[in-house]
Amino acid sequence: MKPKLIIGNWKMNTSFDEAQDLIIGIIEALESVTLETGVVLCPPALYLEIATDHADDSDLFNVGAQNCSEYDNGAYTGEISARMLASIGVDFCIVGHSERRKYFNESNETIAKKVNQLLQFGIVPVVCCGETREERKAGHHCEAVEKQLAEALFQLPKEHFEQAVIAYEPVWAIGTGETASPQQAQEMHAFIRNLIEKKFGTETAYNSYILYGGSCNAQNAVELFSQNDVDGGLIGGASLKADDFVAIIEAGETAIREN
Ligand code: PGA
């Protein structure tokens, strides 16, 4: 098994002081352990610069944004570009999260443009995909995910695709406390890896990171991360408490040791 990657998506949570305390709490816990697992914190945009300062000083984690503009530069009031993110040392950026698809009408086409922007500035896009409850009930979950990936990510040339991370997040599991079973997660991750293999070849498929997200917590993380094709997690609610988040990182280490 390759080392896991654990990404904390704080969403629109924390005040300035709470954000600082959370970063410091995570650093203090990680200082005493040697990790193989990669750790990325995605705080709200306003706190990215503090996070990159702490990341530079501690060398324990990387920093990711939760979104970026599909445009490069110019008169787009309120937007934050990939160019700006790169200029303060942001290394990752979540794109196409189901909350952005639902509340901000993001289409696969928009997501593809954001991915292009990020790659242009050397930022790793963490591209989210996942079916709704209705799609799963109807047995269309694989097709739904295939369409999202085909339109938002698979258009890339292989050398660019290889820089991206995929996060499978079934919409019905996000923030609901209802996690996909390890078998459901493994089935979808294997399906996605297979799609990658068909399009980009075996080596690229093996090296690709496919994360699971959706009510992942310290209790269920080891079992999820022990699945062959689950390379780590995109963690929402449980990334807002240092102890919980660090326990999930430790689950990543346990899964590697035991498999
Ligand atoms: P959750 O969110 O862990 O709170 O379910 C995951 C996500 O939306 O990235």
Side-chain angles (χ1 to χ4, degrees):
M1 256 188 187
K2 53 186 188 273
K4 302 292 178 191
L5 176 64
I6 311 290
I7 303 183
N9 173 13
W10 296 8
K11 309 192 181 183
M12 199 173 72
N13 292 297
T14 70
S15 66
F16 181 85
D17 288 347
E18 287 164 352
Q20 271 202 317
D21 288 350
L22 184 49
I23 294 170
I24 289 166
I26 292 167
I27 289 174
E28 282 174 356
L30 294 184
E31 264 167 357
S32 55
V33 288
T34 316
L35 287 182
E36 271 198 74
T37 304
V39 178
V40 180
L41 304 185
C42 301
L46 203 54
Y47 315 139
L48 283 170
E49 203 187 339
I50 316 162
T52 54
D53 285 347
H54 278 294
D56 288 346
D57 291 346
S58 69
D59 216 13
L60 290 168
F61 63 91
N62 286 95
V63 176
Q66 298 174 16
N67 180 37
C68 73
S69 172
E70 67 200 86
Y71 304 110
D72 181 5
N73 223 344
Y76 300 103
T77 301
E79 288 291 273
I80 294 175
S81 66
R83 181 190 294 275
M84 293 171 186
L85 295 174
S87 75
I88 60 160
V90 168
D91 295 315
F92 289 74
C93 181
I94 300 169
V95 276
H97 191 281
S98 65
E99 288 150 14
R100 295 216 57 91
R101 292 176 189 264
K102 181 172 173 198
Y103 303 125
F104 304 96
N105 298 319
E106 270 187 23
S107 63
N108 291 329
E109 197 191 345
T110 314
I111 296 160
K113 287 184 187 159
K114 292 184 179 194
V115 168
N116 282 334
Q117 281 296 319
L118 291 165
L119 290 173
Q120 215 176 305
F121 292 97
I123 298 174
V124 175
V126 180
V127 181
C128 301
C129 58
E131 80 284 0
T132 61
R133 191 182 295 280
E134 293 67 38
E135 285 165 335
R136 179 157 283 267
K137 272 197 185 147
H140 296 153
H141 43 290
C142 289
E143 281 132 279
V145 166
E146 183 170 0
K147 182 171 161 49
Q148 289 173 332
L149 291 175
E151 294 178 5
L153 192 58
F154 286 176
Q155 80 288 354
L156 292 173
K158 179 170 156 155
E159 65 275 19
H160 288 171
F161 172 83
E162 286 174 343
Q163 290 162 42
V165 166
I166 294 172
Y168 167 58
E169 300 203 301
V171 178
W172 47 272
I174 296 178
T176 58
E178 188 185 345
T179 321
S181 69
Q183 294 70 29
Q184 285 172 323
Q186 169 56 27
E187 181 204 30
M188 183 61 87
H189 283 233
F191 174 74
I192 295 171
R193 205 175 300 282
N194 202 261
L195 293 176
I196 301 171
E197 186 169 11
K198 276 195 226 141
K199 175 98 186 145
F200 299 106
T202 309
E203 199 184 336
T204 302
Y206 175 80
N207 290 332
S208 292
Y209 269 79
I210 309 172
L211 312 183
Y212 170 79
S215 299
C216 184
N217 57 41
Q219 285 70 49
N220 58 32
V222 175
E223 214 188 334
L224 283 163
F225 298 163
S226 295
Q227 304 304 309
N228 263 342
D229 290 294
V230 179
D231 301 314
L234 178 56
I235 318 299
S239 71
L240 291 170
K241 284 203 183 121
D243 290 352
D244 292 351
F245 188 57
V246 171
I248 293 174
I249 296 165
E250 281 164 359
E253 295 289 303
T254 307
I256 300 174
R257 257 198 319 276
E258 291 179 357
N259 289 282

